[in-house]
Amino acid sequence: MIGVLDFDGTLVDSYTCIPIFYEKIKERMNLDDGFIEAMLLLEETGDYFGIFERNKFIRLIFSDIDDFIEEYWKFRMENTLILPGTIEFLEKYKDKIDLYLLTSKDDLKEIKLKRIKYTGLDRYFKDIIIYGTEDFKTIKDGLQYIADKDKVLFYVDDKNVNLYSLRDIIGVPLFKKIYYPPFPLKLAWKYPKLNLPEILNLLELEKYIKI
């Protein structure tokens, strides 16, 4: 049996630090008021449309894009917080089922793997599937690949856009992890509207499934 989990917003919080990062950039470069709010709007627009590479919109604003991107992901990595219930859930079920991590790439697949390993959570997973890559172009490709291996007991994600795209994969129960980033509209986390079980803590899965 298999359990599948998303990373950012499901296991960890790497979003809360984003406004702090842009505040540092604003002060360093003496940028105008409104810069932070504008960047947060770009962030959530990218999340809504599934644009995994920050460089696609950062290059429209800054010229020294490589250094900016490196600093951005380093800051997010070093300020990532493991969400309540994550360790407890993974410790409890790591030897009972095969756990898979299904997550989008960052600007590069290697960056995402580095961030995951930095948290130490990689040790709980049989495999880490990163989509937005040549191997798995979409999240649906990744989940279908996992589902073809064995019975999937659950897939948990915090983004509505992701869960909605998986609605027609037969036999995979979907769960919405309640998490909202510090973005103005939180579009990817609110739309499309869904009618799925919602959990605040991964341990709440025990109300819905038997492992």
Side-chain angles (χ1 to χ4, degrees):
M1 296 186 293
I2 292 174
V4 189
L5 298 162
D6 170 53
F7 185 62
D8 294 297
T10 298
L11 301 181
V12 303
D13 175 8
S14 67
Y15 292 102
T16 297
C17 65
I18 294 176
I20 301 170
F21 173 76
Y22 287 124
E23 176 68 35
K24 289 166 59 74
I25 297 298
K26 177 180 180 293
E27 292 178 0
R28 183 196 307 165
M29 302 183 69
N30 194 28
L31 298 171
D32 294 334
D33 291 340
F35 166 77
I36 298 170
E37 291 82 357
M39 294 307 296
L40 295 180
L41 282 170
L42 281 175
E43 287 270 352
E44 73 167 315
T45 300
D47 276 307
Y48 182 79
F49 287 110
I51 301 172
F52 311 121
E53 303 90 346
R54 292 301 188 276
N55 63 39
K56 287 186 176 179
F57 58 81
I58 295 297
R59 69 172 61 255
L60 302 175
I61 304 162
F62 298 101
S63 56
D64 194 0
I65 179 173
D66 291 337
D67 287 346
F68 184 98
I69 291 297
E70 181 179 355
E71 182 181 359
Y72 172 89
W73 287 118
K74 184 175 186 290
F75 189 87
R76 279 188 70 172
M77 180 177 72
E78 293 177 349
N79 290 277
T80 292
L81 303 173
I82 296 176
L83 289 169
T86 292
I87 297 294
E88 293 84 350
F89 180 85
L90 295 175
E91 282 288 341
K92 186 172 183 178
Y93 291 106
K94 64 181 180 180
D95 296 322
K96 296 181 180 180
I97 60 173
D98 290 332
L99 293 169
Y100 281 74
L101 189 58
L102 177 62
T103 182
S104 64
K105 72 173 186 178
D106 295 333
D107 279 85
L108 297 170
K109 177 180 178 179
E110 292 73 21
I111 295 175
K112 190 54 157 285
L113 285 172
K114 184 177 181 180
R115 287 207 298 125
I116 294 167
K117 290 178 180 179
Y118 187 85
T119 67
L121 297 179
D122 57 299
R123 69 184 185 273
Y124 292 105
F125 295 95
K126 182 173 182 177
D127 200 359
I128 297 171
I129 305 300
I130 298 181
Y131 61 91
T133 64
E134 287 188 9
D135 293 331
F136 305 100
K137 295 192 180 304
T138 68
I139 186 173
K140 188 174 180 180
D141 294 336
L143 187 56
Q144 189 64 66
Y145 168 79
I146 298 170
D148 288 342
K149 292 180 175 293
D150 199 353
K151 178 180 175 60
V152 175
L153 295 175
F154 57 82
Y155 173 68
V156 183
D157 201 313
D158 57 303
K159 288 182 185 175
N160 285 36
V161 289
N162 288 346
L163 291 162
Y164 184 78
S165 70
L166 301 171
R167 65 194 184 283
D168 59 350
I169 295 184
I170 298 172
V172 177
L174 304 177
F175 293 86
K176 158 85 173 175
K177 176 74 182 296
I178 299 174
Y179 172 85
Y180 295 100
F183 295 165
L185 301 176
K186 302 169 178 58
L187 295 173
W189 291 262
K190 289 183 177 180
Y191 304 104
K193 295 294 186 181
L194 300 171
N195 183 23
L196 293 174
E198 297 183 345
I199 57 173
L200 279 167
N201 187 303
L202 288 176
L203 291 169
E204 293 176 29
L205 282 172
E206 295 173 340
K207 297 188 298 185
Y208 300 96
I209 58 176
K210 292 183 180 181
I211 301 176

